[in-house]
């Protein structure tokens, strides 16, 4: 029975270590989203998060109108960054929206749509879908110059794309003002936005360092002990050293670790 109890306690200890390790791994992975970008340059980690809420811009880089609009030389382009367009006013009026919401909801099924006149009629072409969003830094040697967001769409006739340069501008949003056609169905535009400015999240390396991880473990452990002690003192009316939650487990922990070590050594000798 004593050996079985030690095995049970060793399982508890191993499970606790596994939970804390998993927490570190999940915390590191969960920060990555569709419109986030991080890269390391000269011992600094630069981070962009276009969809994050900041002061004066609760929707991040997304247009509060549901779309951005730019026109040049008879061509009209609508787009939204990091999501699909929404039209509560001024919807596109053009033919052929089947890849982007259909005639009754034109523009509300994609992230970029362009209208060109063909034989005197405005004809729509889908340029990108939200799922195709790719972001990259404009110049790694100048991280604060901004980033480029590109969306693509594979049509029946040809492939199309839109590249939007989000230029760092801490004073507010400007644009889009220019529209450039660089291929048969490829367009470029740009806008200035505070979220185009990089944030330096680390000067030593990416992710959690060992010291940071240990601080997190100690904080979690301290919070657990404090909350458990308060609960046992005020609600269970426990007094003295017994106010510490799971006191028996913590007292037997050194013996448990020693037992696990002996079992491991025995297994290694058996295998060898």
């Amino acid at each position: 029975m004593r050996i079985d109890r030690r095995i049970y306690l060793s399982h508890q200890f191993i499970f606790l270590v596994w939970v804390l390790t998993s927490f570190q791994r999940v915390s590191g992975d969960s920060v990555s989203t569709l419109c986030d970008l991080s890269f390391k340059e000269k011992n600094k980690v630069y981070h962009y998060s276009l969809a994050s809420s900041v002061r004066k811009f609760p929707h991040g880089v997304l247009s509060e109108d549901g779309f951005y609009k730019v026109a040049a030389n008879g061509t009209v382009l609508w787009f939204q960054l990091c999501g699909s367009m929404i039209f509560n006013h001024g919807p596109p009026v053009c033919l052929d929206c089947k890849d982007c919401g259909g005639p009754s909801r034109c523009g509300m099924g994609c992230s970029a749509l362009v209208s060109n006149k063909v034989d005197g009629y405005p004809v729509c072409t889908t340029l990108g879908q939200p799922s195709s969003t790719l972001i990259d830094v404009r110049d790694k040697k100048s991280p604060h110059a901004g980033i480029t967001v590109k969306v693509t769409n594979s049509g029946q006739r040809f492939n199309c794309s839109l590249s939007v340069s989000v230029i760092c501008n801490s004073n507010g949003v400007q644009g889009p003002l220019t529209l450039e056609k660089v291929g048969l169905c490829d367009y470029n535009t740009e806008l200035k936005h505070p979220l185009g400015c990089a944030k330096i999240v680390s000067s030593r390396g990416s992710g959690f360092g060992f010291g940071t991880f240990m601080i997190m473990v100690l904080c979690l452990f301290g919070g657990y002990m404090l909350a458990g002690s308060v609960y046992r003192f005020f609600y269970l009316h426990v007094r003295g050293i017994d106010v510490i939650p799971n006191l028996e487990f913590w007292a037997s922990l050194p013996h448990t670790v020693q037992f696990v070590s002996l079992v491991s050594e025995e297994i290694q000798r058996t295998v060898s």
Side-chain angles (χ1 to χ4, degrees):
M1 291 296 293
R2 189 174 182 180
I3 295 178
D4 291 341
R5 180 173 179 78
R6 285 186 175 182
I7 293 175
Y8 170 75
L9 292 175
S10 68
H11 287 170
Q12 280 190 322
F13 174 74
I14 294 171
F15 177 75
L16 178 63
V17 173
W18 177 82
V19 167
L20 293 173
T21 305
S22 300
F23 176 80
Q24 179 196 22
R25 182 173 61 251
V26 171
S27 297
D29 294 342
S30 62
V31 297
S32 110
T33 60
L34 182 65
C35 277
D36 280 13
L37 174 67
S38 296
F39 76 96
K40 185 177 180 180
E41 179 71 15
K42 295 182 179 179
N43 297 323
K44 292 184 179 180
V45 177
Y46 297 90
H47 180 66
Y48 307 84
S49 183
L50 296 182
S52 64
S53 176
V54 294
R55 184 183 179 186
K56 295 184 180 180
F57 302 99
H59 304 289
V61 79
L62 280 76
S63 171
E64 294 185 359
D65 292 330
F67 63 93
Y68 290 98
K69 182 179 180 180
V70 59
N73 300 324
T75 299
V76 183
L77 188 146
W78 302 263
F79 68 92
Q80 178 67 292
L81 296 175
C82 308
S84 299
M85 293 184 289
I86 299 175
F87 287 91
N88 294 318
H89 63 89
V93 180
C94 46
L95 306 175
D96 194 7
C97 279
K98 57 185 178 182
D99 292 335
C100 190
S104 61
R105 300 178 68 252
C106 184
M108 298 183 67
C110 63
S111 56
L113 186 73
V114 66
S115 172
N116 288 294
K117 286 191 177 181
V118 178
D119 296 330
Y121 295 95
V123 178
C124 288
T125 303
T126 302
L127 299 181
Q129 303 290 346
S131 59
S132 70
T133 302
L134 295 174
I135 65 173
D136 197 6
V137 64
R138 297 181 67 207
D139 184 359
K140 286 190 175 182
K141 295 182 179 180
S142 301
H144 295 290
I147 61 176
T148 299
V149 182
K150 184 176 182 179
V151 292
T152 58
N153 182 66
S154 299
Q156 295 180 352
R157 297 175 57 189
F158 32 69
N159 298 331
C160 299
S161 69
L162 170 66
S163 295
V164 182
S165 296
V166 183
I167 301 172
C168 173
N169 182 38
S170 58
N171 296 324
V173 179
Q174 296 180 15
L177 300 175
T178 62
L179 178 60
E180 180 185 9
K181 188 174 182 180
V182 294
L184 186 62
C185 192
D186 302 295
Y187 295 84
N188 290 344
T189 188
E190 65 179 36
L191 61 88
K192 296 180 180 180
H193 199 284
L195 286 176
C197 305
K199 292 184 178 180
I200 302 176
V201 296
S202 174
S203 59
R204 296 182 180 179
S206 59
F208 289 123
F210 180 76
T212 304
F213 174 63
M214 291 305 300
I215 292 174
M216 290 177 59
V217 171
L218 292 175
C219 289
L220 289 172
F221 180 76
Y224 160 76
M225 296 295 287
L226 178 61
S229 299
V230 169
Y231 174 78
R232 291 170 64 82
F233 184 87
F234 289 101
Y235 292 93
L236 300 182
H237 304 289
V238 178
R239 297 295 183 267
I241 194 173
D242 291 329
V243 76
I244 300 175
N246 296 320
L247 178 62
E248 184 180 357
F249 169 71
W250 301 118
S252 63
L253 192 58
H255 299 288
T256 302
V257 174
Q258 183 180 8
F259 175 74
V260 172
S261 177
L262 292 174
V263 171
S264 299
E265 292 177 0
E266 184 65 30
I267 292 175
Q268 290 177 358
R269 284 197 297 267
T270 304
V271 172
S272 59

